[in-house]
Amino acid sequence: MQPIDLRQAMAQSYPGASLGRVLLVGSGPGDPELLTVKALKALQTADVVLFDTLVAKPILDLISPLAERMHVGKKGYGDTRPQDEINARMVALALAGRFVVRLKSGDPLIFGRAGEEIDACRAAGVPVEVVPGITSAQGAAARLCVSLTHRHEARRLQYITGHDTTGGLPQCIDWKAVADPQATTVVYMPRRTIGALAAQALAAGLDPSTPAIVVINATRPNERMVATTVAALVASVAASETPDPTLVLIGQAMARAVLPVVAADVA
Ligand SMILES: C[S@@+](CC[C@H](N)C(=O)[O-])C[C@H]1O[C@@H](n2cnc3c(N)ncnc32)[C@H](O)[C@@H]1O
């Protein structure tokens, strides 16, 4: 079989590839086998890769040894580099004629500040495209073998963030929608505000016995999951005591989840 010329393949996929440009690439929740083929090609042909803290190490290992790597921080909280600085660096590299891969966790278009990076590229006349990734909610649902929209139990699926730019609980969340008994709600970045979030949802009428699952490090070797209820959610999140990436999945459909067996459970 002929070896594949990845640079040529990229040039065909992205006409004008010899120009400097930016590709926002989703790395998925952590398992490198969940990368798209397009993402893998991008990692192997980039001139420079700007990556966030949450991008898993086995994925960084797939970057071409010829590419320059730049860790630009950003975990979803406690950003290590201001967004404006990341935008400026990314644009400057592309204007210098380089193929810049901006590598983000999960899907770049979900709670990833991709909008600001796309705007910065457009304002500078830099060609920009997006390669989607599997968002962490989908990675978690797959590991739990549960449908987020199970018929008769969930007719609405909503992704919400546990914090806004100030670090507090966003004031504009539609609490009636979160309290909808036929909704599945996935809370990204829940750690700091889960107490206030649960209190607001209960005050809006959410049944305290509604199933909830805390998922830490979804799809990674150190994955952990705790099945609980909304009433016990605060204690469950607090007990997990970790700075690692965490999601909370809430809704009646979550009663069908099957928690993966981990080695420690078997021993
Ligand atoms: C800035 S947001 C980025 C979300 C990402 N764009 C996505 O689509 O998953 C960071 C948050 O995503 C969630 N997250 C990312 N990877 C995760 C994982 N492997 N397990 C659990 N949560 C994860 C956590 O809530 C984390 O605080």
Side-chain angles (χ1 to χ4, degrees):
M1 206 167 79
Q2 288 275 333
I4 298 170
D5 181 336
L6 287 170
R7 280 184 194 273
Q8 196 183 13
M10 284 300 283
Q12 280 163 358
S13 302
Y14 301 101
S18 57
L19 300 171
R21 66 205 173 92
V22 169
L23 195 57
L24 303 186
V25 175
S27 70
D31 177 351
E33 294 197 3
L34 294 178
L35 271 181
T36 63
V37 174
K38 216 164 197 173
L40 182 59
K41 281 185 186 171
L43 296 184
Q44 293 179 345
T45 55
D47 293 322
V48 52
V49 179
L50 272 59
F51 63 94
D52 288 342
T53 305
L54 279 186
V55 176
K57 166 90 172 47
I59 290 171
L60 297 179
D61 291 344
L62 297 171
I63 296 172
S64 159
L66 302 177
E68 193 178 340
R69 297 158 187 236
M70 295 182 186
H71 176 217
V72 292
K74 282 167 69 65
K75 261 181 129 173
Y77 49 88
D79 289 354
T80 52
R81 235 172 248 284
Q83 185 66 47
D84 287 349
E85 200 185 308
I86 297 172
N87 295 350
R89 185 185 288 207
M90 188 181 68
V91 164
L93 287 163
L95 288 175
R98 306 185 73 188
F99 170 26
V100 181
V101 164
R102 176 72 181 95
L103 187 61
K104 293 168 164 289
S105 72
D107 183 276
L109 304 179
I110 294 182
F111 299 128
R113 298 185 75 171
E116 291 153 68
E117 297 181 6
I118 292 167
D119 287 349
C121 289
R122 285 184 179 150
V126 167
V128 58
E129 288 184 68
V130 179
V131 175
I134 292 178
T135 190
S136 43
Q138 304 314 134
R143 293 287 297 143
L144 289 161
C145 231
V146 73
S147 167
L148 297 174
T149 56
H150 193 85
R151 210 141 73 102
H152 308 307
E153 286 162 14
R155 57 174 158 66
R156 181 210 305 269
L157 170 62
Q158 49 204 359
Y159 293 167
I160 65 173
T161 170
H163 75 71
D164 59 18
T165 48
T166 67
L169 186 64
Q171 293 305 304
C172 53
I173 289 176
D174 179 347
W175 295 108
K176 277 246 165 297
V178 176
D180 179 350
Q182 287 211 312
T184 300
T185 303
V186 182
V187 189
Y188 285 68
M189 296 165 276
R191 286 206 161 270
R192 286 185 186 172
T193 58
I194 194 65
L197 190 147
Q200 292 267 20
L202 293 172
L206 186 65
D207 182 341
S209 68
T210 304
I213 304 180
V214 182
V215 181
I216 302 158
N217 291 316
T219 82
R220 301 180 183 219
N222 54 352
E223 176 184 83
R224 279 163 60 201
M225 299 187 174
V226 181
T228 180
T229 61
V230 171
L233 194 48
V234 179
S236 302
V237 171
S240 66
E241 279 181 353
T242 170
D244 289 353
T246 303
L247 289 173
V248 174
L249 286 69
I250 299 170
Q252 293 301 337
M254 295 306 100
R256 296 176 177 274
V258 178
L259 267 57
V261 176
V262 294
D265 295 339
V266 178

